[in-house]
Amino acid sequence: MLQQKVSKRSEIGYSGSISMPTTAPSFPQRRILVVDDEPFVCDAVKMMLNFDGHIVETASNGREALEVFDKGKFDLVITDFAMPTMKGDALAVAIKERSPKQPIVMITAYAEMLQTSGNPLRGVDYIISKPFLLENLRDAIAKTTGVAST
């Protein structure tokens, strides 16, 4: 399968690339809320999910995400961990209080540290480590929404 690379550099000094296949798999369309304080990350995740045919809304912080979440129904919420004002785990808890069965995926550069800390992230159903690929998002969608990729 042909791969297309998109270069990335974030404010926290992460440097890497996001690899995108040139054809989308056949997935059921999902409505997904993406939350990240870095505009490039929001745009990149939105682009990857749109590529697979998903409907994506974005928010740049936890408060904005709760406002967007309260106005719509989402099949999945994808959030960053390290955000100012409200971290991703606090956002996950707030969303689960509103909708206990809402699937929530966290994308973070701190995945290994968070998973080995002995303190499970309440409200988070799946963690993706940065850097990540479109295939990582597809796996997370399949595992958290109960739909296998084809």
Side-chain angles (χ1 to χ4, degrees):
M1 180 182 289
L2 293 174
Q3 298 280 322
Q4 179 181 4
K5 293 240 182 207
V6 178
S7 293
K8 176 183 178 191
R9 176 134 183 100
S10 77
E11 295 170 15
I12 59 171
Y14 163 74
S15 179
S17 63
I18 300 170
S19 183
M20 293 205 30
T22 57
T23 57
S26 54
F27 270 116
Q29 185 180 63
R30 296 287 182 217
R31 207 171 124 103
I32 301 173
L33 174 59
V34 175
V35 187
D36 200 299
D37 60 316
E38 293 185 50
F40 179 85
V41 175
C42 265
D43 291 345
V45 173
K46 181 176 182 174
M47 177 185 68
M48 288 189 277
L49 295 172
N50 284 160
F51 179 80
D52 279 355
H54 301 294
I55 298 167
V56 181
E57 290 192 46
T58 61
S60 61
N61 60 59
R63 276 192 229 131
E64 183 184 340
L66 290 173
E67 289 173 16
V68 173
F69 183 81
D70 287 341
K71 292 178 186 173
K73 179 175 177 352
F74 294 92
D75 298 304
L76 179 63
V77 175
I78 299 174
T79 184
D80 185 28
F81 173 73
M83 296 185 292
T85 311
M86 179 184 282
K87 296 214 179 308
D89 56 339
L91 174 61
V93 168
I95 288 173
K96 291 286 188 171
E97 287 172 354
R98 289 165 164 78
S99 181
K101 294 185 180 187
Q102 176 65 55
I104 300 176
V105 171
M106 183 171 290
I107 297 176
T108 181
Y110 309 104
E112 187 175 321
M113 179 190 73
L114 292 170
Q115 290 171 328
T116 60
S117 71
N119 299 319
L121 295 171
R122 288 183 35 231
V124 176
D125 299 299
Y126 194 87
I127 297 176
I128 297 174
S129 183
K130 289 181 182 176
F132 59 91
L133 304 172
L134 176 56
E135 194 58 40
N136 301 122
L137 290 173
R138 289 175 177 163
D139 288 345
I141 293 166
K143 289 177 181 172
T144 59
T145 65
V147 177
S149 61
T150 56

